[in-house]
Amino acid sequence: MPNSSRSRQRRPKTGALLALAAVLLPAGALSAAVPAQAAQTQAQTQPQSQEPRAGAPRVTAAVLPLDGSRQRPAVYGDDTAYDTASIIKVDILAAALLRAQDAGRTLTAQERAYAEPMIRQSDNASANALWRQIGEAPGLDAANRRLGLTETRGGSGPRWGLTRTTASDQIRLLRAVFAPESGGTTSDGTAGSRTTGSGALNAASRAYIRTLMNGIADDQDWGVSAAGSPAGAALKNGWLQRSTSGLWDVNSVGRITVDGRPCLVAVLSDGNASMSEGVSLVERTARAAVSSTAAH
């Protein structure tokens, strides 16, 4: 099983370069092309309204260095809602951990048996089980109020992958997991506490999520990790082909290291013609957003 101490070797997923879609970044941001990447085609095809239209894909990035230099993330593109696809699995796990904390216990052996493949291999059956256990969307939304998320709404019924979120809300979630436990402020500038925002998850719960995100399967090592050091990235990706349009949602969130500094990054996209084009767009956007944030 992978662990946080290993150095990742980025596995090439395709041999061809894809045409690069436009990236919504401020003037002067990096726009270098990167090789196309593909990933395991574990698409979760589900019907939904608000499907993206054919044409240029949409993308938004948010970046927050964890060195204390800023409290609000830098956001590139319109910070509007996207479908989460499998990045919601981090939020599902956080909600399950909060329920366990409330009961004065750690996760059971069965809960861990769901959590670990859900994060490391992006296993959907495990996500289904934990989604039901946390109470589906109402349970997720209640947990998110404690975690400081304000713009995330759970998908209806069993459709956890159709939860809607924003890039800045994903930074709030990442901060609840990865920010130093200093009793400071949440990513939107509000005061943290032991029960809300960056203090809602206890130290053991935070460490557990970090361990799983540090140990994802090699074939899913793509996305925001392209913008930082190849070693030690903590990551969760999501991908979903829309049943009506055939277009792809491709998302990536995590903590990376850039020039020795920890940094939280979330990139959300939809309307991609293929998964590999979506991965290329996400990686290009992550590189540009991280570079632009470091320059300011």
Side-chain angles (χ1 to χ4, degrees):
M1 190 65 70
N3 58 59
S4 60
S5 63
R6 69 182 174 89
S7 294
R8 292 207 178 102
Q9 299 296 320
R10 292 182 57 77
R11 181 178 299 180
K13 311 299 195 295
T14 65
L17 290 176
L18 296 176
L20 293 168
V23 178
L24 301 175
L25 293 173
L30 295 182
S31 58
V34 296
Q37 307 286 329
Q40 182 182 28
T41 55
Q42 185 190 356
Q44 180 195 351
T45 305
Q46 302 182 38
Q48 182 200 334
S49 59
Q50 300 180 332
E51 289 209 8
R53 298 178 180 178
R58 227 175 29 127
V59 63
T60 302
V63 179
L64 180 67
L66 282 180
D67 58 4
S69 61
R70 62 190 306 158
Q71 294 297 333
R72 297 176 183 272
V75 178
Y76 303 87
D78 294 330
D79 199 21
T80 55
Y82 293 77
D83 295 318
T84 58
S86 285
I87 62 169
I88 193 58
K89 292 169 181 174
V90 176
D91 206 358
I92 293 172
L93 177 54
L97 286 162
L98 285 176
R99 287 169 60 89
Q101 287 178 199
D102 291 346
R105 62 175 178 84
T106 59
L107 294 184
T108 65
Q110 182 61 73
E111 289 167 336
R112 292 194 302 274
Y114 292 138
E116 293 178 16
M118 179 180 73
I119 300 298
R120 287 176 162 156
Q121 286 85 40
S122 203
D123 183 71
N124 288 339
S126 297
N128 292 339
L130 284 181
W131 179 248
R132 291 190 296 269
Q133 186 168 313
I134 67 170
E136 298 184 340
L140 183 82
D141 293 345
N144 282 342
R145 285 191 290 272
R146 296 170 63 181
L147 292 166
L149 280 67
T150 60
E151 299 164 342
T152 300
R153 300 293 179 269
S156 64
R159 295 176 180 169
W160 45 262
L162 301 184
T163 297
R164 302 282 284 175
T165 194
T166 63
S168 59
D169 236 21
Q170 287 302 298
I171 295 293
R172 294 183 181 99
L173 176 60
L174 291 171
R175 192 165 190 217
V177 175
F178 292 102
E181 297 182 71
S182 60
T185 57
T186 61
S187 59
D188 59 359
T190 58
S193 75
R194 295 177 60 190
T195 57
T196 60
S198 60
L201 294 166
N202 65 28
S205 294
R206 288 153 57 93
Y208 184 64
I209 299 175
R210 292 174 182 177
T211 297
L212 297 188
M213 291 180 70
N214 268 297
I216 62 166
D218 286 348
D219 61 0
Q220 295 181 32
D221 187 5
W222 51 266
V224 299
S225 56
S229 168
L235 190 65
K236 186 69 194 82
N237 297 322
W239 57 99
L240 167 65
Q241 186 176 25
R242 309 310 299 273
S243 58
T244 301
S245 66
L247 300 176
W248 288 78
D249 302 334
V250 180
N251 306 321
S252 182
V253 300
R255 189 219 61 220
I256 63 174
T257 302
V258 182
D259 297 329
R261 301 166 62 202
C263 189
L264 306 179
V265 186
V267 182
L268 310 180
S269 77
D270 63 20
N272 297 286
S274 67
M275 180 173 174
S276 59
E277 290 190 18
V279 172
S280 179
L281 175 61
V282 164
E283 293 194 342
R284 178 189 173 198
T285 303
R287 292 177 191 268
V290 168
S291 177
S292 183
T293 302
H296 292 83

